[in-house]
Amino acid sequence: MTTCTATPDIARYARTIDASKRVRWDIDRDVIRGRTFDLAHIFLPDGLSLADELPYLAPAEHRFLSQVQGRTYANMFGLVERFIGAKMLEVSRDHWLGNQTALEAIVRFTDEELKHQELFRRLELLAGAHMPVGYRFDVVPNDVATFVLGKCTWAVLALTCHIELFSQSHYRASIDAAEHLSPLFKDVFLFHWKEESQHAIIDELEWEREDSKLTSEVQRDLAVDDLISLVGGVDGILQGQAKADAAYFLSVCGMGWDRARTEQVNATVLKAYRWQYIVSGALEPRFQEALAKLVSAEQSARIQAALGPLSYAVPARTTPH
Ligand SMILES: [Fe+2]
Ligand SMILES: [Fe+2]
C-alpha cells in the first residue's frame, strides 16, 4: 500500500496510485495478444455510432459504418491524449518539491497516456491493414495540442475531466454490454477504461486546485470563455472528421450518387460525433457535479447556452449510451 498522509486529497491521490499499480497492463501481452481485426465484427456499438438511425442500411453497410466510426474513435483518443499528457506534466510542476504522492500519481497518469497513444497508433495500423483504402484522419495531434494548450489551465482541465469521464461512461453503458462486438476492439476499451478511472479522479483534484488559485470572478469568467472556445474547437474537428468519414463510407458502399442518403449519412455521422465527444460528457452527472461546484449560476448558464445548438445530438432511441 502507498503511504497516505492525513489530508483527504492526498489520500485520493494515493488511492489512484494503488489502483494504477493493480490494473497496469501491457499493450502486447494483455491487450493485442497477437490478434488483428476481423471485419465480420462490429467495432463501435449503435448507442455511440447511431448507425441504427439509418434503417435502410444493409447489415454489411451498418457494420462498416460501425468500423469507420470505431477507427475514428480510437484515433480521437490518441489525439486528445497528446495535450492531456502535456498539461499533466505542466501541472505536476506544482508538486515537484511538494507532496510526492500527488507527484507520483500524476507521473503515472502521464506515463499511461503515452502508452495509450502508442496503443491507438497500433490500432490504426491494424485497422488500415484490413479496411478498404481511402480512410483519412488528417487532424494533427500537435496542432490541436498547440491550440488547446494556448487556453488557460482551468479550461484545459475542465475539458480533460469531461473527456476522461465520458470515456468511462461509454465503456460502462455501451461497449461492455454490446453483442457481436470485435473482441479486440472491446478489450482495447476495457483496458483503457481501467486506467482512465484513475485519471478522472486526478483531473477533478487538479481542476479544483487550479480553481482555488483564481482570485476573482473575472478570472473565472475568462476561464469559462476559454472552455466555451475549446468546445467550439472540438466541434470544428468533429465537423471535418464527420465529413471525411461520411465521404469514405459513401464511396466504399457506392452510395454517393444518392443525394438524399448522402445528406442523411453526413448528418447522422456528425450527430454521432457530437454525441460521442461533446454531449454525452456534458450530460454525465459526475461532470455536471464537478462543474457546478466551481462556477456561478450565470457562468453555468453561459456554458449551457453555448452547448444549446449541439443538444439535439442525443440518440433517438432511449437506450443508454
Ligand atoms: Fe487514455
Ligand atoms: Fe486518460
Side-chain angles (χ1 to χ4, degrees), residues 157-167 277-279 281-282 287:
L157 291 173
L159 180 69
T160 301
C161 186
H162 162 269
I163 292 169
E164 307 209 279
L165 286 173
F166 79 58
S167 78
Y277 305 108
I278 298 176
V279 179
F287 178 73

Side-chain angles (χ1 to χ4, degrees), residues 54-75:
L54 297 167
Y56 49 78
L57 295 183
E61 293 167 341
H62 186 130
R63 192 166 58 238
F64 182 54
L65 187 55
S66 86
Q67 292 162 353
V68 176
Q69 289 201 34
R71 187 171 176 180
T72 288
Y73 191 72
N75 279 324

Side-chain angles (χ1 to χ4, degrees), residues 79-121:
L79 178 76
V80 298
E81 286 168 342
R82 182 66 54 86
F83 73 73
I84 291 173
K87 178 51 74 179
M88 280 299 150
L89 277 181
E90 188 193 307
V91 301
S92 79
R93 172 182 279 274
D94 288 349
H95 303 290
W96 283 0
L97 304 180
N99 190 283
Q100 299 299 288
T101 303
L103 178 62
E104 184 181 349
I106 297 176
V107 167
R108 295 189 74 91
F109 176 151
T110 311
D111 178 52
E112 286 159 2
E113 292 298 27
L114 289 167
K115 180 178 66 177
H116 298 176
Q117 288 176 68
E118 169 65 14
L119 171 65
F120 294 126
R121 281 193 293 271

Side-chain angles (χ1 to χ4, degrees), residues 44-48 73 165-179 181 186 189 193 275 280 284-285 315 317-321:
L44 203 64
D46 285 355
L48 292 167
Y73 191 72
L165 286 173
F166 79 58
S167 78
Q168 291 179 65
S169 67
H170 289 179
Y171 182 78
R172 280 195 314 265
S174 199
I175 297 173
D176 185 36
E179 290 173 0
L181 220 59
K186 196 169 190 166
F189 289 98
W193 166 64
W275 164 240
S280 62
E284 177 61 34
R317 287 191 306 153
T318 49
T319 49
H321 56 274

